[in-house]
Amino acid sequence: MTELASKKALVLFSGGQDSTVCLAWALARYGEVETVGFDYGQKHNVELECRLRLLGRIQALFPEWRSRLGPDHMLSLTELGQISETALTRNVEIEMDESGLPSTFVPGRNLLFFTYAAALGYRRGAHVLVGGMCETDYSGYPDCRADTLSALEQAIALGMDKPFCIEAPLMKIDKAATWKLAEELGGKPLVDLIIEESHSCYRGDRTRRHDWGYGCGICPACELRARGYDAFVAAEG
Ligand code: ZN
């Protein structure tokens, strides 16, 4: 058994494109993988509904990953939604605020997610925490930056006195490269699954189907996903 195959990973799995690619990345790498999702009072529960369908489809489509995929966990963090005036948890327009951050920014979200994941991982013996944060083409969320996650990893390892490690395989790549990574990990079946079942749209729209999947087509998350997909398809020739 390789060193990685002997490790257990816990993937922050929201049902979006990025966390689905991260889940595939972890399944290709670690011997045991569990998933955790957070209900923080999102306006649209579409992503959370997509999670279970995605997990079921991954088990059906990829027999070699089926035995590695362990239990899914769902944690309630609804207080986060109560204290956040954001476009993801309230009926607020998606726009930039005076600090230059979009109104979709939920302050402290990833700090809390990883800390909760570590508390769960401590009990489950999963000391690798995997998240889909990306600092290249995202909206500049300060809790998605490599520096933030590196400091958090250190704080968690010290505070729990366990060798926790945070992996963010998408940190340095753009959305086109994320589609490419999906193809490398699971071929066309994984790309098709992400198109069909993962959800990124901030408006929770699953009535409109595009080449790249479902969404309103105009919110920042849809724009990013569409642009990345177009670049991925163009590069494939
Ligand atoms: Zn959208």
Side-chain angles (χ1 to χ4, degrees), residues 94 199-205 212 214-223:
I94 299 172
H199 185 87
S200 315
C201 175
Y202 284 150
R203 294 198 165 91
D205 188 337
W212 44 266
Y214 291 91
C216 70
I218 46 175
C219 76
C222 281
E223 268 184 19

Side-chain angles (χ1 to χ4, degrees), residues 80-101:
L80 183 60
Q82 287 167 23
I83 55 178
S84 297
E85 283 290 332
T86 84
L88 297 188
T89 53
R90 295 266 199 281
N91 281 318
V92 177
E93 276 304 302
I94 299 172
E95 57 194 13
M96 292 293 168
D97 70 12
E98 64 277 9
S99 63
L101 282 166

